Amino acid sequence: MTGPPATGRGGDLPALPDGWTVVRTWGPLSFTTHALLRRPDGTEVEWSSRRHRKGLGLRRPDGHRLRAVEGRWGGRPQASSWWMGGLFAFGSVCFALGSVPLFFDHVDGSVVAATFFVGSLAFTAAAAVQYHEAARAPEGVLPDSARPGLRHLVRWKPHRLDWWASAVQLVGTVLFNVSTFAATRADLDAEQVRRLVWAPDVYGSVCFLVASGMAWSEVNRGVRPRPDGSVGWRIGLVNLVGSIAFGVSAVAARIVTTTGEPANITLVNLGTFVGAVGFLVGAVLLPVESAADGDAAPSSSPRTGDDALRRRS
């Protein structure tokens, strides 16, 4: 049986099985992103919000390393990881391609603009899958717990940092849609470019930076880096670097009133390329995370989980 949700620092943890207790919780500000749980037999396991929403199960502290205790069999990435990774990767390739001189110097400007717009649509689709994953995270701490219904896609969940991160990033991708679509128009004057192209690009970049900062804080239990050897931690790092690069590109794209041109086109292209590569690496790692970080046998009982740990040792 599963009991009611356990109250953690700054928010509710998913429901705990009968007899389980919360030993300690961690997280940035008032959010709970990690928790140490004690099972009825006295053994302790760690819950984390990232592993939880991805269905990767719990982990048991083992010195400076953490080993999987309860999760699904590894080796086969989840479908959501493939979709999310594939869409983010496709969008990243489009953005990287559009910022390379070898491409934009040899094709029509409308093709370059369309490349960015198509890439932004892929980003939005990937962000929607990501939001779906966060909004419908399992209701219990065990990986085989049921996920809530579709109505949870529109529910307000301000106590969850991962919900905020996915929601803010989704908004950012929509702003990129607006910006890149406007950029496909060749009849805009400098003021219209500033208002319809540059402004949404800046706001979208801010959203990406905020969302990546939240995701970074989620995997580190705060702002300070705390590497745990997981693929998820590496994804958080490269996405943060990518978002910073996108932000630099957006600032450099400010339209100079006297010339009607971006302030620093070289920095615009470089920032876009570096940002795209960062998100491409993160996208490729998503299926890897699903397979590598969730490689223990499924279990809903403490003894089976410990047996899985011994088999891995």
Side-chain angles (χ1 to χ4, degrees), residues 261-276:
E261 298 293 330
N264 190 328
I265 190 62
T266 300
L267 198 55
V268 170
N269 292 325
L270 179 61
T272 301
F273 181 80
V274 172

Side-chain angles (χ1 to χ4, degrees), residues 4-26 32 34-40 43-47 141:
T7 301
R9 179 175 62 87
D12 292 335
L13 292 173
L16 300 179
D18 288 342
W20 289 45
T21 57
V22 179
V23 178
R24 183 182 177 188
T25 60
W26 299 269
T32 299
H34 293 72
L36 186 64
L37 309 176
R38 181 172 291 126
R39 301 186 291 189
T43 59
E44 295 179 346
V45 292
E46 183 188 273
W47 170 91
V141 297

Side-chain angles (χ1 to χ4, degrees), residues 16 31 33 73 75 87 103 142 189 194 209 237 246 257 302 313:
L16 300 179
F31 297 104
T33 60
W73 284 105
L87 289 166
F103 177 73
L142 296 179
D189 58 31
R194 185 194 66 79
L209 188 57
L237 176 61
F246 277 149
T257 306
S313 300

Side-chain angles (χ1 to χ4, degrees), residues 48-132:
S48 68
S49 55
R50 182 178 180 90
R51 290 181 61 87
H52 173 69
R53 71 173 179 274
K54 292 182 175 297
L56 300 181
L58 304 169
R59 298 192 297 184
R60 181 174 179 177
D62 183 25
H64 295 291
R65 305 286 294 179
L66 293 170
R67 296 186 177 185
V69 176
E70 296 176 56
R72 50 177 189 77
W73 284 105
R76 295 190 62 185
Q78 300 178 76
S80 61
S81 295
W82 278 116
W83 278 107
M84 201 186 312
L87 289 166
F88 269 129
F90 180 78
S92 298
V93 169
C94 288
F95 271 59
L97 182 63
S99 61
V100 174
L102 189 62
F103 177 73
F104 64 69
D105 281 345
H106 294 84
V107 299
D108 188 78
S110 62
V111 176
V112 177
T115 300
F116 279 114
F117 179 58
V118 170
S120 76
L121 293 178
F123 271 161
T124 299
V129 175
Q130 180 176 259
Y131 177 78
H132 179 275

Side-chain angles (χ1 to χ4, degrees), residues 165 168-169 171-173 175 202-212:
V168 170
Q169 186 160 43
V171 171
T173 63
L175 288 168
V202 169
Y203 294 140
S205 297
V206 169
C207 286
F208 262 58
L209 188 57
V210 170
S212 295

